[in-house]
Amino acid sequence: MTDPIADMLTRIRNAVRVEHPYVDLPSSKFKRGVAEVLKREGYIWDFEEIDAGPGKNLRIYLKYGPNGERVIRHIERVSTPGRRIYCGYQKLKPVLNGLGIYILSTSRGLMSDREARQRKLGGEIICKVW
């Protein structure tokens, strides 16, 4: 697999479309960081690591509204292995006028664009979510 983050986002996107309560995917430190940002920003309920044979899996519990509406309406990879996208904190514009977020990989770890602007940090834009 050349892009495990794109695979993670695709699995989340597919599970949300068919309204699954959770999605399982192979675990890594970077994927746990992305899940932590999604949890802090209120896009998922929770996540946990579970043992699954030779490796560990990451189980992400998806969030839906009171009438079953999707909380994650769109999740898209921005920076790819072949084309990295970097941005300083001054040039980070809010996604949909603040209704969505960018997830950035900074020197202080993974964080949302709001946190990056607050801490005055730039970095690689991993994905955008709304």
Side-chain angles (χ1 to χ4, degrees), residues 3-54:
D3 193 1
I5 301 304
D7 178 62
M8 173 189 185
L9 300 178
T10 300
R11 287 180 191 223
I12 292 172
R13 187 181 316 116
N14 291 342
V16 166
R17 282 193 181 149
V18 293
E19 298 179 358
H20 281 242
Y22 62 87
V23 61
D24 289 338
L25 46 115
S27 183
S28 74
K29 187 176 177 182
F30 197 84
K31 291 177 186 178
R32 281 192 307 272
V34 170
E36 179 64 40
V37 173
L38 289 173
K39 181 180 175 185
R40 271 198 315 260
E41 294 293 326
Y43 287 99
I44 62 173
W45 285 117
D46 202 6
F47 66 95
E48 66 179 350
E49 269 195 344
I50 55 173
D51 285 328

Side-chain angles (χ1 to χ4, degrees), residues 39-118:
K39 181 180 175 185
R40 271 198 315 260
E41 294 293 326
Y43 287 99
I44 62 173
W45 285 117
D46 202 6
F47 66 95
E48 66 179 350
E49 269 195 344
I50 55 173
D51 285 328
K56 291 187 181 243
N57 277 353
L58 188 67
R59 180 168 285 175
I60 298 175
Y61 295 97
L62 303 170
K63 191 174 190 179
Y64 300 97
N67 296 327
E69 60 269 3
R70 301 174 185 140
V71 174
I72 298 176
R73 296 181 185 273
H74 184 86
I75 188 164
E76 173 186 347
R77 183 86 153 114
V78 175
S79 186
T80 62
R83 182 170 167 242
R84 302 290 184 184
I85 308 291
Y86 297 94
C87 191
Y89 75 92
Q90 303 96 334
K91 294 186 179 181
L92 274 175
K93 303 292 181 213
V95 179
L96 288 178
N97 293 325
L99 296 177
I101 62 164
Y102 284 119
I103 297 179
L104 277 82
S105 176
T106 68
S107 58
R108 303 280 171 104
L110 289 167
M111 60 183 68
S112 70
D113 60 334
R114 295 180 191 127
E115 294 171 305
R117 277 193 298 274
Q118 244 178 5

